[in-house]
Each structure stands twice: as C-alpha cells, then as structure tokens.
Amino acid sequence: MRRAVAFVGLLGIAAAGISLSIMPTSRSAAAASEARTFLIPASDGYGVADCISSRAECGQIVANAWCESQGFGKAVAFGVANREDFTGTVARPTPAQLAEQPLSITCGE
C-alpha cells in the first residue's frame, strides 16, 4: 500500500515538472518600437536632476541608463519637462515651481 501511494506521489511530481517545463517562458514585456516619454520628479533624491537639467555629459549616460531600466534601447531626448506637458497650462511659473519642475526623458529603440 505504501509503495502504491509513493508511486502515485512520484507520478504527480513528475507530471508537475513536465507541465512546468513545457510552459512558455515569460519575458518582461519590452517596450514597443515607438518612443515613450517619462516624467521624473526633480527631487527624486538620486541626483538625476543635476545631470539632466544642466544637459551635462553625464545627462546622456543617466538618461540611457533610465531607458534601459525601463526596457528601451536608449534615450532619444532628455531635459527639463515643459510646463504644458505635465500641467496642461502655459502660465508663467514662480521660482519655487521651477525648482520642482520634473525632468523629461524620451526613450526609444
């Protein structure tokens, strides 16, 4: 009796292993071929704003790294986001609002 139960258990484990091995592997859904723009808070705490907002040489490296982490190939454009892109308004911002203006990174292939 014990052998029969053990054999049935072994068959169950083998069947589960086979069914898991023939399942399609799930890959992370890579980005589509079209470009996508990300808005990043300027006060994210990582110092990203220093490179991207000043358009320094490190900005391209940081923007490319951001795009790669999101599943894209490289950064197409980056910089400080236009106010109308994230608020829907074109009013002149105050100096405090300028400091809080998010960054924009456009990623593509």
Side-chain angles (χ1 to χ4, degrees), residues 25-31 68-72:
T25 58
S26 62
R27 285 196 229 175
S28 60
E68 288 174 11
S69 72
Q70 301 300 317
F72 289 86

Side-chain angles (χ1 to χ4, degrees), residues 46-101:
Y46 292 107
V48 174
D50 298 335
C51 287
I52 292 180
S53 64
S54 66
R55 312 268 311 158
E57 185 177 323
C58 65
Q60 185 67 45
I61 297 168
V62 170
N64 283 339
W66 177 269
C67 291
E68 288 174 11
S69 72
Q70 301 300 317
F72 289 86
K74 64 178 183 174
V76 177
F78 61 93
V80 178
N82 293 328
R83 187 149 185 82
E84 58 270 8
D85 290 341
F86 64 93
T87 63
T89 181
V90 292
R92 295 198 56 97
T94 65
Q97 289 171 330
L98 281 175
E100 296 174 9
Q101 197 162 351

